Amino acid sequence: MSPRTHIAVLGGGISGLSTAWYLARAAPANVSITLLEGSKRTGGWMHSERINDPQHAGGSILLEHGPRSLRPQGVSGLNTLEMVKILGLDSKLEPVSKSSPAAKNRYIFAHNKLHMLPVSVAGALTHPLIGPKLLRAGLDLFKGGSGQEDESIESFVNRRFGKGFSDDLISAMVHGIYAGDVSKLSVRSTFGMLYHLEKDYGSVVVGMLMGGGSVETPWDQTLKEKIMKTVPELKTFVDKTSIYSFTDGLEELSRALERNLVETGRVNILKGSKVERLDFDRPNRSVKISVKGHNPIQVNTVISALPSSKLYPLLPVGHHELNHNPSVTVAVVNLVYNADNARLASPGFGYLIPRSENSAVKHQGLLGVVFDSCAIPAQDQGPSRDHTLKLTAMIGGHMFDEVVTHPQPSTSQSDDAVQHGSKRNEELVSFFKNVATDAVKKHLQIDVPPELVKVHIQRNCIPQYLVGHLQRMQTLDQSLRKEYDGLLAVTGASYLGVSVNDCIKNAREVAESVLCKLDEVDDGEAELVGTQDAVTGLERAWFL
């Protein structure tokens, strides 16, 4: 059966791989699917590396250079777990129990010491960072709603709970999730539950007591019911698990997706295929994809999982919403110590630095440190598991340009420029190595040098949803529908959720929505047609 419809997915990160996988699972046999990835590997920011332990023969250490764990809660968490089960990764799961120190002990570094976050109301009342702020926070019960469509996280938290909560607590949380600045990020797009609690109940606290604040769309609710009906055993895992990863790291998930796509033969994966331009032919329902160094590819629809700023120059029309939000750069520093000489006095998941610490000045841009050996110890194998202490420091984010004051390497390919760029990169690696080791020494009182240090600078890795983001996504939804009539849809971290779970769930939604537009024509085979309800991938922006 010759292909009647050809769908192209742009980008081979977790969003692109998931989109292609969901398409392949549900598309009729005469639908052809192609995934184009500009680099030589898939997986995007998921990058797990297993290395031989240089200090302990027969041991190996797992290093994460990107995201390191997943949360099983919520519809997006359930959706990912269903994918994990279908891919046969159950035996590779490394769950962290809700009763473990990694789940219960999380810290904030403030006023020259680590403060463990409370896990009970009684603990909050006596907590040095929280207790003194509770009286002011109580005004939330009487404030009422603001009527604003959106505002910054800082503005929302200051207005409802007081400046101290924003500076000492929420800013640290935002450093851990978005590596971002609470004064710039949209509360509605990042902490939508808080926005809806105020809107629906006039008080965040009252809304929580009433069980409100849900930001699930009708599609989410249907999906959750479907998963719980078909895979009911997932509930037990969710109930007892705080976070989880895989034996060989989070990249096991993207590797399994690629392997499955190759084995089933439903998707043609083209690596090293950088897209340079998209040309749309609405009357003939086709798109020409110009690929660097290759012949153009003709398809019937495109689903872009590229960062929005990368999609922007490929289009014939300037949709400025695609280019509005910046993305931040984070230096990920893996540190491995000999556990015989270095111990954690406070075991747990790790610690974050709040804005009140003025991290750009006092801590050279440190966002936080993860205690990997405590968080997911089973990933290190052999003697390494008991004889190494593994930590990961995250540095930069919204402070990156402030702490890295020198010019970035030139993109010119002249010999002098290449040498300058190489030298500059060495300087940056050395700088971030020193920041990380100094932080561990000062904050954790680990005075011995690490046995191994690896630095990865992840440039433009986390999109920043600035105030007004959802409104811009609604505008973009209308523009894409009007301009391309179903020939282009988008998904990925740039749009409606930056977490791995959100990226996978949103990929499923756009894939299933596109396939729903397949109509039987003439000989009964499936063909994509344009309709007034053309899919853009941004439909959920109207529900959030």
Side-chain angles (χ1 to χ4, degrees):
M1 184 184 297
S2 60
R4 174 62 65 83
T5 292
H6 191 175
I7 303 174
V9 178
L10 309 186
I14 189 60
S15 293
L17 285 171
S18 300
T19 301
W21 188 72
Y22 283 116
L23 287 171
R25 284 178 55 79
N30 72 310
V31 174
S32 177
I33 306 164
T34 298
L35 185 150
L36 296 97
E37 165 56 40
S39 71
K40 296 298 183 182
R41 62 176 288 272
T42 62
W45 300 115
M46 286 185 171
H47 187 186
S48 310
E49 180 187 15
R50 182 168 294 284
I51 62 171
N52 293 326
D53 188 339
Q55 299 297 317
H56 304 97
S60 68
I61 302 166
L62 193 282
L63 303 178
E64 292 283 19
H65 307 309
R68 65 200 56 248
S69 61
L70 299 173
R71 297 183 66 84
Q73 287 76 25
V75 62
S76 60
L78 279 174
N79 182 65
T80 302
L81 283 172
E82 182 194 45
M83 171 187 277
V84 167
K85 186 172 182 62
I86 294 170
L87 290 170
L89 291 176
D90 308 54
S91 62
K92 300 292 187 73
L93 283 171
E94 297 292 350
V96 176
S97 167
K98 288 183 177 179
S99 61
S100 73
K104 296 166 65 176
N105 302 344
R106 294 170 183 251
Y107 302 89
I108 286 178
F109 185 87
H111 312 301
N112 297 315
K113 63 181 293 187
L114 290 180
H115 299 266
M116 188 169 75
L117 292 173
V119 294
S120 67
V121 174
L125 291 172
T126 58
H127 195 281
L129 293 181
I130 300 176
K133 302 175 177 64
L134 289 178
L135 183 61
R136 165 61 183 85
L139 292 178
D140 168 77
L141 296 167
F142 312 102
K143 280 279 185 178
S146 72
Q148 297 183 63
E149 284 196 358
D150 199 8
E151 62 186 304
S152 71
I153 301 169
E154 177 186 55
S155 171
F156 182 94
V157 176
N158 285 357
R159 183 166 52 77
R160 300 214 66 86
F161 303 106
K163 192 174 187 300
F165 262 93
S166 174
D167 284 354
D168 287 344
L169 299 168
I170 304 302
S171 63
M173 188 185 305
V174 171
H175 277 170
I177 301 171
Y178 297 96
D181 184 344
V182 287
S183 71
K184 297 180 180 179
L185 296 186
S186 155
V187 70
R188 188 173 177 183
S189 298
T190 57
F191 292 89
M193 184 181 76
L194 298 180
Y195 169 84
H196 284 283
L197 287 171
E198 179 188 67
K199 180 181 178 183
D200 296 340
Y201 297 93
S203 162
V204 173
V205 174
V206 170
M208 292 178 70
L209 292 173
M210 297 291 290
S214 172
V215 289
E216 291 181 356
T217 69
W219 185 88
D220 291 333
Q221 294 165 5
T222 301
L223 177 63
K224 180 166 64 175
E225 292 171 4
K226 177 183 176 182
I227 294 173
M228 293 310 300
K229 183 177 181 179
T230 56
V231 201
E233 62 269 26
L234 292 182
K235 184 178 186 302
T236 302
F237 183 88
V238 172
D239 288 345
K240 66 181 183 181
T241 303
S242 171
I243 59 170
Y244 69 95
S245 185
F246 304 95
T247 303
D248 286 316
L250 213 55
E251 195 180 352
E252 278 211 63
L253 181 57
S254 60
R255 291 179 190 137
L257 283 168
E258 180 180 1
R259 186 166 57 249
N260 182 268
L261 294 175
V262 171
E263 289 172 353
T264 59
R266 286 291 279 119
V267 177
N268 184 23
I269 300 177
L270 303 178
K271 299 178 187 177
S273 299
K274 182 179 180 181
V275 176
E276 294 188 314
R277 181 176 173 83
L278 299 174
D279 291 294
F280 298 86
D281 183 349
R282 285 183 59 172
N284 293 308
R285 309 301 304 164
S286 69
V287 186
K288 184 176 78 172
I289 304 175
S290 299
V291 182
K292 185 176 182 179
H294 300 277
N295 292 328
I297 299 173
Q298 206 77 24
V299 302
N300 301 105
T301 195
V302 169
I303 302 176
S304 173
L306 299 171
S308 61
S309 61
K310 300 293 184 184
L311 175 62
Y312 177 79
L314 306 182
L315 299 177
V317 176
H319 301 283
H320 298 292
E321 297 84 6
L322 293 170
N323 219 23
H324 184 89
N325 289 337
S327 292
V328 295
T329 296
V330 177
V332 179
V333 185
N334 305 109
L335 306 110
V336 178
Y337 295 84
N338 188 325
D340 296 333
N341 303 319
R343 294 282 179 179
L344 285 173
S346 304
F349 186 81
Y351 70 91
L352 295 167
I353 307 285
R355 190 173 70 168
S356 58
E357 278 292 296
N358 192 11
S359 181
V361 174
K362 294 170 62 177
H363 308 286
Q364 296 181 293
L366 183 72
L367 297 161
V369 176
V370 177
F371 306 160
D372 297 295
S373 294
C374 185
I376 309 179
Q379 289 179 325
D380 297 332
Q381 298 178 352
S384 301
R385 186 176 301 181
D386 298 319
H387 296 284
T388 59
L389 172 64
K390 187 175 63 177
L391 309 171
T392 301
M394 277 77 66
I395 307 164
H398 70 98
M399 300 174 285
F400 190 89
D401 291 338
E402 186 176 352
V403 298
V404 179
T405 55
H406 300 293
Q408 297 299 303
S410 169
T411 56
S412 167
Q413 292 304 302
S414 69
D415 289 343
D416 287 346
V418 170
Q419 290 176 6
H420 172 74
S422 177
K423 180 180 179 182
R424 177 59 183 148
N425 192 62
E426 290 176 4
E427 292 173 348
L428 287 176
V429 167
S430 177
F431 170 75
F432 289 122
K433 175 182 175 181
N434 290 334
V435 171
T437 53
D438 287 351
V440 169
K441 181 178 179 179
K442 294 175 182 176
H443 301 166
L444 302 177
Q445 287 75 55
I446 295 177
D447 208 13
V448 298
E451 304 289 340
L452 175 73
V453 181
K454 284 206 170 190
V455 178
H456 284 74
I457 301 174
Q458 310 290 22
R459 297 191 179 277
N460 302 315
C461 61
I462 307 178
Q464 303 292 287
Y465 295 170
L466 303 183
V467 173
H469 176 71
L470 271 180
Q471 292 91 327
R472 287 189 295 275
M473 292 304 97
Q474 292 170 357
T475 300
L476 183 60
D477 172 62
Q478 294 173 321
S479 299
L480 296 184
R481 182 173 287 110
K482 178 180 178 181
E483 187 68 32
Y484 307 109
D485 189 28
L487 296 178
L488 173 66
V490 297
T491 192
S494 296
Y495 303 100
L496 298 171
V498 303
S499 74
V500 172
N501 283 338
D502 284 339
C503 287
I504 293 173
K505 177 171 67 70
N506 292 341
R508 178 175 189 163
E509 184 170 9
V510 73
E512 292 183 352
S513 298
V514 166
L515 292 178
C516 281
K517 298 303 177 184
L518 288 167
D519 279 3
E520 289 186 1
V521 296
D522 300 335
D523 52 8
E525 293 184 6
E527 180 174 88
L528 279 171
V529 297
T531 70
Q532 192 173 17
D533 296 323
V535 175
T536 68
L538 298 173
E539 291 78 11
R540 72 170 39 245
W542 299 93
F543 294 89
L544 301 178

